[in-house]
Amino acid sequence: MKFILSALPTAMMTVAVMSVPVMTYASTDADSIEVSDDVTPVVVTQIIDSDSPTDNNRPAVAPFHTVPNPQNAESQALSTLVDPITHKAVDNSYALDVSSFLSLEQAQKLLVQVSPKIAANQAAIAASEYQTDALRTIDNPLVFARVSASAYHLDEDIDLSSLRSGIVNEVNNGVDNIVPPTADLPDTADLPDFGELVGERIPDSYNFKRSGSTSGAGLGVVWPIYTAGRTDALTGASDARTQEAMADSVLDKNELYNTLIERYFKAQLAIIAAYLREDAYDTLQQTDHMAERLFEEGFISRVDRLEAQSALADAKSESVNANNDARLAMIALQRLLRTDYRIKPTTPLFVSSRPLPDVSYFQDLALNNHPGLQKVAAKRAQAQQLHALSDTGYKPTVLLYGYGQVEKDPSWVAGISASWKLWGGLDKAASLASSSAKIRQADLSEIEVSDNLLLLVEKNWHDVNNAQSRYQALQSNVDLAAEVLRLRRLGLQEGVNTTVDVVQAQTQSLKARTEQAQAANDYVQSLAALMQSCGTPLAFNAYLNAADIQLPTLYTEQ
């Protein structure tokens, strides 16, 4: 259908928009939709502030891509850039050259590059992967070297008086025991005092002084050759945590895709509403001009003339409000894509007249692709690894070890050791029971999540069908309201209808067109929610490209 946008005096420029039916069919078998990198020059109109005209030549701060792992970054010059929204410095980033006119697919690609949440999740995944890599080497031989060098100086007075007295007494007692006095021997008093003779040679104190230096070096090795599977359990648990981080990242990414579609097409709806309000204002200007002429010629009363003026004032106010709402919706899209200039959406609202596949098709997609189930599986894998770790409680740890000195006449030691836990520490039975309970929790959580997903998919599937039916049903209202408005305006010229009749017909026409545009947005948002609940948010693009009904858009590629 052809649709001509009328001139908007303060907010819009004139452009002709052609919507062409698309006869291809959508395929949602995969979540990988090619997104074009090209930015095509387009001729568009634009919503602007009436008091601040747009300067198309002003420099703009482009969004930038943050690299979560600079070590693995491509050959791109990384630097520290300032976020255009928060004005905070961000390291390891590079600027992107982005057009202000973006299709949905281009916006999706840009979102993945500029979203700080996605970059943070990627950094978390990288950290978990590095931690797993670190754990993989825990069973490798540990080789270490020891080098020592020391200097010493000792200076101490040692008291020997007690030692001397003890020696003297021991010597005298020994002599008495060896040579007892008898009548056959000479008098023992004539014998020398052996204790005193020895004691005279022992000083009362001794000044001990020593100084010097020592040095040494050696090599050692410790190799855990059997750990009862503890290392495998630790690395397995770390791998499972990485899988959980990846599932969380996919959940966040899918949510961001859905938020993008919500803001992107809300901006389109707000732009259409602004146009419709401006179009109604233009029509009422003509009606007011006609009422003024009829009043001057005496064909209508003063009350009819005042009613036309009041309706015109209300239409002008509604037009200004709608234009402001459109500008706000575009700012919300701009914030999500992190630019300091307005993003003009070029992909129109759409509706497909063809029925969706059966709900069971989408439920199977959800059970096979939804990251929530992948997160539950990662939780179960963690619990299994913790169970395996708990089961090693009383199994031995066997080590090979060796150490040798590096010198002229080296000494060395080598051997094997085994250690068992006999008692104490964590209760093995309680640990096994805890991990078994966690496995059961994961199994039951999988059932609950699956049930909730199936219900959510069915709800979203019905929402899409309801929005599709409502859009098609509203077409007759739009046609009827347009025909009534045409007849009322002719009747006003002929004096058959009053300005009130024309205003009411104009209001009804505006309501019908706005409701139909809202129904198209409901269809788009419900379809996006359905694709997200299936875990395949980018499959939305296939339905977009296959839609046979496209609404007019203010910003469009030619």
Side-chain angles (χ1 to χ4, degrees), residues 20-26 352-354 542-550:
V20 181
V22 180
M23 302 306 295
T24 56
Y25 289 88
S352 176
S353 62
R354 290 182 289 274
Y543 289 92
L544 185 158
N545 295 329
D548 55 353
I549 302 173
Q550 293 185 346

Side-chain angles (χ1 to χ4, degrees), residues 166-209:
I167 292 175
V168 169
N169 293 333
E170 289 295 329
V171 170
N172 290 333
N173 292 335
V175 171
D176 293 339
N177 293 331
I178 295 173
V179 189
T182 61
D184 299 333
L185 295 176
D187 190 358
T188 58
D190 296 334
L191 295 176
D193 189 345
F194 292 102
E196 287 297 329
L197 292 176
V198 174
E200 290 176 356
R201 296 180 177 276
I202 300 175
D204 292 333
S205 63
Y206 179 74
N207 183 248
F208 182 77
K209 290 185 178 182

Side-chain angles (χ1 to χ4, degrees), residues 104 254-270 329 333 347-351 456 459-465 467-468 517-533 537 540 544:
L104 177 64
N254 291 356
E255 182 65 29
L256 283 172
Y257 279 138
N258 195 64
T259 301
L260 173 63
I261 290 174
E262 178 184 356
R263 294 191 185 184
Y264 190 95
F265 287 106
K266 275 189 175 180
Q268 283 288 30
L269 178 63
L333 180 61
T347 300
L349 283 165
F350 66 93
V351 177
L456 179 61
K459 172 190 174 298
N460 292 333
W461 185 81
H462 284 296
D463 288 345
V464 174
N465 289 328
Q468 181 189 59
Q518 180 62 56
N521 184 61
D522 291 343
Y523 175 87
V524 167
Q525 302 301 338
S526 299
L527 182 61
L530 176 61
M531 294 300 103
Q532 183 187 9
S533 62
F540 175 90
L544 185 158

